[in-house]
């Protein structure tokens, strides 16, 4: 009897994995995929050493140079076709969609991806669909800020239209603070993933109320919402995320309103496949869009979601972008915790030379603690608490309820301090 021919390995390309996108590499390897990664592989786009063992082929290319990236990817595709092209980070959602569109592979609609990256376009599209968004105005230079402020009023929030990780997201109370925050954006020489901050900015109404994120995915045109994450923020005027708890407790009518609103946001913005991460504020329980990303959430949220719901959003993403059935990839499993949370650590004024954190050894002995990570090596300079770059490390833990998770989150913050 003739033996059946072995099935060829599924070949995928991940473009510039970072943050939760690194989990795509681990899961692709576990699934037996042939994994190709396109990365600049230097500076803040360098692939971490422990992840290199999961990669079959690392293609070094400037991922911010889309024509050069396309030429490289098209040649690789001609040699041996990819089943899918997956964005490894927020900045490459549009890039992956355009590459996939040109090569005839599954992907987000090219006509819609600008609305998923540019926060001003995002609000235009959501408002046109009849969804509540903050009052907002875009400005391209200092002269346009005053006109934006006249439309939006104070207090307001200033942010770059195309950034991520809360970089330069600042609450402002007056025209003086607004211009100072804008000047700070323009004077900052740092880049994020090789990208500067010299583009337009968005000024929007400050919306008071609890902040949550909604995690889910789109499959066969259906929006599936699987969890709501409570987001715990550092001190304003900045919006550094220092904690997340899954699931956030909402009254049934509020939960229903949130799910209906997020479903409408996905449809308005063209989220047609794969996972999404939608950030909202809930003034008086009424959902208001902060932003939505058609990618995995950061800050270990996918890990928390999988613990509580049993759904692997990383595998959902791989399945969606490769045109595969999620169930066949082991996306769905039994929940392992009733509630899960992450506590991040910061030093408000920054650290000239990081020496570590005191109190972590005791936490490692706790049955509820699942993971402890430090982000900086000893001696490193840590910036002040203005965006994600100030985070020193985290502790992930499980709990029996939302209330006990919140109490434990606060206790961990009291127990851990700078060395």
């Amino acid at each position: 009897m003739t033996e059946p021919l072995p099935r060829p390995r599924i070949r995928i390309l991940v473009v510039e994995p970072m943050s939760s996108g690194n989990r795509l590499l681990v899961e692709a390897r576990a699934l037996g995929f042939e994994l190709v990664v396109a990365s600049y592989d230097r500076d803040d786009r360098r692939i971490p050493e422990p992840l290199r063992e999961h990669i079959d082929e690392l293609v070094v290319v400037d991922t911010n140079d889309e024509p050069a990236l396309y030429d490289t990817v098209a040649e690789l595709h001609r040699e041996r076709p990819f089943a899918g092209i997956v964005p490894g980070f927020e900045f490459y959602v549009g890039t992956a969609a355009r590459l996939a569109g040109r090569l005839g592979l599954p992907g987000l609609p090219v006509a819609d991806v600008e609305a998923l990256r540019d926060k001003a376009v995002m609000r235009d599209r959501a408002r046109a669909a009849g969804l509540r968004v903050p009052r907002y105005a875009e400005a391209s230079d200092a002269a346009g800020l005053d006109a934006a402020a006249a439309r939006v009023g104070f207090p307001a929030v200033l942010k770059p239209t195309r950034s991520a990780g809360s970089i330069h997201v600042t609450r402002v109370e007056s025209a003086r603070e607004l211009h100072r925050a804008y000047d700070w954006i323009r004077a900052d020489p740092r880049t994020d993933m090789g990208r500067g901050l010299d583009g337009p900015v968005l000024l929007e109404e400050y919306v008071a109320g609890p902040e949550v994120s909604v995690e889910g995915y789109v499959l066969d045109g259906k929006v599936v919402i699987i969890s709501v994450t409570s987001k715990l923020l550092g001190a304003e005027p900045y919006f550094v995320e220092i904690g997340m708890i899954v699931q956030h407790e909402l009254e049934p009518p509020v939960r229903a309103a949130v799910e209906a609103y997020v479903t409408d946001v996905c449809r308005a913005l063209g989220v047609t496949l794969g996972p999404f991460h939608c950030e909202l504020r809930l003034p008086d329980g009424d959902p208001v869009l902060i932003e939505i990303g058609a990618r995995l959430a950061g800050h270990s949220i996918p890990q928390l979601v999988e613990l509580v719901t049993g759904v692997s959003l990383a595998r959902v993403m791989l399945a969606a972008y490769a045109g595969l059935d999620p169930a066949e990839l082991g996306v769905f499993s039994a929940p392992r915790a009733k509630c899960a949370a992450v506590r991040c650590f910061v030093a408000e004024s920054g650290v000239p030379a990081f020496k570590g954190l005191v109190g972590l050894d005791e936490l490692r002995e706790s049955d509820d603690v699942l993971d402890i990570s430090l982000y900086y090596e000893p001696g490193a300079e840590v910036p002040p608490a203005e965006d994600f770059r100030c985070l020193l490390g985290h502790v992930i833990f499980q709990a029996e309820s939302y209330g006990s998770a919140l109490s434990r989150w606060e206790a961990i913050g009291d127990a851990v301090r700078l060395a």
Side-chain angles (χ1 to χ4, degrees):
M1 182 175 179
T2 304
E3 292 290 330
L5 293 175
R7 292 179 60 185
R9 293 174 71 195
I10 295 166
R11 190 173 192 237
I12 64 162
L13 173 72
V14 177
V15 180
E16 208 65 83
M18 177 65 64
S19 184
S20 291
N22 288 333
R23 190 66 195 174
L24 297 169
L25 310 190
V26 177
E27 295 296 343
R29 170 61 67 188
L31 291 166
F33 288 3
E34 180 184 351
L35 175 61
V36 181
V37 170
S39 173
Y40 191 53
D41 199 31
R42 68 183 76 167
D43 303 328
D44 58 356
R45 285 181 279 168
R46 182 169 174 78
I47 302 295
E49 289 299 328
L51 291 173
R52 293 175 184 265
E53 65 184 39
H54 301 291
I55 301 171
D56 291 291
E57 182 178 0
L58 175 60
V59 179
V60 179
V61 58
D62 187 352
T63 47
N64 293 341
D65 183 346
E66 199 164 306
L69 177 61
Y70 173 75
D71 289 343
T72 300
V73 171
E75 180 61 29
L76 291 168
H77 187 65
R78 281 192 293 269
E79 293 172 0
R80 197 161 65 259
F82 293 110
I85 298 176
V86 189
F89 188 69
E90 167 75 18
F91 293 164
Y92 304 96
V93 168
T95 300
R98 288 184 288 272
L99 291 176
R102 294 180 69 176
L103 297 176
L105 297 173
L108 294 166
V110 174
D112 293 322
V113 289
E114 185 67 9
L116 294 168
R117 282 293 301 122
D118 187 298
K119 295 176 177 63
V121 180
M122 183 181 296
R123 279 151 183 71
D124 289 345
R125 290 278 292 271
R127 185 179 63 177
L131 299 169
R132 180 179 174 183
V133 297
R135 284 191 313 278
Y136 65 96
E138 189 176 12
S140 298
D141 51 38
L145 287 177
D146 293 325
R151 178 174 178 179
V152 173
F154 295 105
V157 178
L158 182 70
K159 60 183 68 172
T161 61
R162 302 179 69 86
S163 190
S166 299
I167 291 179
H168 286 298
V169 180
T170 311
R171 174 171 170 162
V172 292
E173 302 283 346
S174 65
R176 180 179 179 182
E177 289 186 7
L178 171 61
H179 281 271
R180 186 167 60 209
Y182 181 79
D183 290 343
W184 176 44
I185 293 174
R186 289 295 182 262
D188 191 343
R190 296 174 296 176
T191 60
D192 187 19
M193 303 288 282
R195 299 169 185 238
L197 299 168
D198 52 354
V201 296
L202 186 75
L203 186 68
E204 65 183 17
E205 168 193 9
Y206 176 83
V207 178
E211 185 162 326
V212 301
S213 68
V214 180
E215 322 306 330
Y217 58 90
V218 180
L219 178 64
D220 296 331
K222 180 181 179 182
V223 177
V224 180
I225 292 170
I226 57 175
S227 69
V228 178
T229 303
S230 179
K231 300 179 70 176
L232 306 170
L233 306 180
E236 295 181 359
Y238 309 112
F239 297 85
V240 180
E241 298 175 1
I242 58 174
M244 279 66 66
I245 303 175
V246 177
Q247 301 252 15
H248 182 76
E249 291 187 342
L250 293 173
E251 294 294 327
V254 177
R255 174 76 183 226
V258 165
E259 293 196 4
Y261 179 89
V262 172
T263 297
D264 289 342
V265 169
C266 288
R267 290 171 177 163
L269 294 173
V271 182
T272 58
L273 87 168
F276 59 80
H277 169 69
C278 187
E279 298 180 350
L280 310 173
R281 285 235 164 165
L282 302 174
D284 300 319
D286 188 16
V288 180
L289 180 67
I290 300 301
E291 63 180 69
I292 186 171
R295 40 79 179 176
L296 297 175
H299 288 302
S300 304
I301 290 176
Q303 184 176 345
L304 305 183
V305 170
E306 187 169 359
L307 285 166
V308 174
T309 70
V311 178
S312 169
L313 286 170
R315 293 196 177 199
V316 166
M317 192 167 194
L318 292 171
Y321 280 81
L324 303 171
D325 181 351
E328 293 183 359
L329 299 189
V331 164
F332 309 105
S333 62
R336 303 192 298 278
K338 294 180 180 178
C339 193
V342 58
R343 171 81 201 210
C344 299
F345 305 107
V346 299
E348 290 296 328
S349 57
V351 183
F354 182 57
K355 297 179 181 178
L357 296 172
V358 176
L360 296 183
D361 289 340
E362 292 79 2
L363 286 173
R364 288 189 177 94
E365 303 300 320
S366 301
D367 292 338
D368 63 340
V369 172
L370 305 175
D371 177 67
I372 296 177
S373 294
L374 291 178
Y375 307 154
Y376 283 94
E377 297 291 335
E381 181 180 356
V382 182
E386 299 166 345
D387 56 55
F388 80 97
R389 292 174 287 203
C390 74
L391 299 178
L392 304 170
H394 73 241
V395 171
I396 294 176
F397 62 94
Q398 60 184 345
E400 288 296 307
S401 67
Y402 179 84
S404 60
L406 184 58
S407 297
R408 180 64 162 146
W409 186 89
E410 293 171 345
I412 289 173
D414 293 337
V416 176
R417 66 184 188 279
L418 284 170

